[in-house]
Amino acid sequence: KNVHFIKGRANLDEILLKANIHEAQCVVITADQNRNELYADMNTIITLLAIKGTHPTIRCIAEILTSEQVDNARRAGADEIIQSNILTSSLILNSLESHSTMESIMNLIRNSDNHHLLTCEPVEGIVGKQFYEASNLFFKRNKMLVGIKRGEKTHVNPPQEFVIQKDDLAVVITE
């Protein structure tokens, strides 16, 4: 309900101003599916540069199609990068291996109004605890702890004895 679509080339200042870029909290840049992957990624990166040049502190989520351009997107200012080609490939491969697992994942995605997969600060009191203890604390709060993000690496379903550290982020499914 809080999404506004403005037609035009998002790498132009006049379009960014028309979209009220200075009042925006977040920008999502999707890849142009009508172009080849390299051209689509170059357009995304130019758009990132224009947006960050206009509003340096805005959160930018960018879709990048080629793994070669991920570093350039980060250098251009992407706060989060979605590699949709990798996601699609992973979903297809998982579907080949286990239909029921994919059905569960697709239900989670489809029912995002009811459930959310998110990264959050760990609940107070879990620093120094093992993963299984932390899981129980989250469970009591009606959240399922599925992993820990430590720096740039996300540990999905780590060993039970995995110890939560101070700057770790919890990856949870919530209702």
Side-chain angles (χ1 to χ4, degrees):
K1 66 179 178 181
N2 292 319
V3 175
H4 303 280
F5 180 81
I6 305 294
K7 185 174 170 88
R9 291 184 19 218
N11 59 2
L12 300 175
D13 287 351
E14 67 186 61
I15 299 299
L16 293 174
L17 294 173
K18 187 176 178 183
N20 204 10
I21 190 73
H22 294 294
E23 297 298 320
Q25 295 176 353
C26 182
V27 173
V28 177
I29 305 166
T30 59
D32 185 346
Q33 301 295 327
N34 297 316
R35 305 286 182 175
N36 72 51
E37 292 176 336
L38 181 59
Y39 182 83
D41 285 350
M42 289 189 307
N43 189 53
T44 298
I45 291 166
I46 290 169
T47 301
L48 268 167
L49 289 169
I51 290 168
K52 287 294 188 166
T54 306
H55 189 333
T57 59
I58 194 167
R59 182 168 178 254
C60 289
I61 301 167
E63 178 183 18
I64 294 292
L65 301 177
T66 62
S67 56
E68 300 89 35
Q69 295 303 317
V70 169
D71 288 339
N72 286 331
R74 279 200 175 84
R75 283 191 282 263
D79 297 292
E80 195 166 332
I81 296 171
I82 297 171
Q83 290 182 266
S84 55
N85 287 354
I86 290 175
L87 291 172
T88 302
S89 298
S90 178
L91 287 172
I92 291 169
L93 286 173
N94 280 305
S95 187
L96 288 171
E97 291 179 14
S98 175
H99 174 72
S100 59
T101 301
M102 285 313 303
E103 189 65 31
S104 298
I105 291 170
M106 294 309 293
N107 282 334
L108 178 63
I109 293 169
R110 279 189 216 107
N111 296 319
S112 62
D113 288 344
N114 299 328
H115 298 90
H116 303 279
L117 177 65
L118 52 93
T119 303
C120 63
E121 299 292 327
V123 171
E124 191 173 313
I126 70 165
V127 173
K129 298 224 185 279
Q130 294 182 338
F131 185 79
Y132 80 93
E133 295 173 294
S135 295
N136 289 333
L137 290 171
F138 275 97
F139 186 72
K140 290 176 184 175
R141 291 173 171 83
N142 206 25
K143 297 178 181 177
M144 181 186 296
L145 181 64
V146 294
I148 298 294
K149 185 171 184 338
R150 180 172 290 160
E152 292 297 313
K153 185 165 183 180
T154 300
H155 303 270
V156 177
N157 193 26
Q160 290 187 11
E161 58 277 355
F162 185 92
V163 177
I164 312 298
Q165 296 179 359
K166 180 178 174 262
D167 294 326
D168 288 349
L169 297 175
V171 179
V172 298
I173 297 175
T174 66
E175 200 172 37

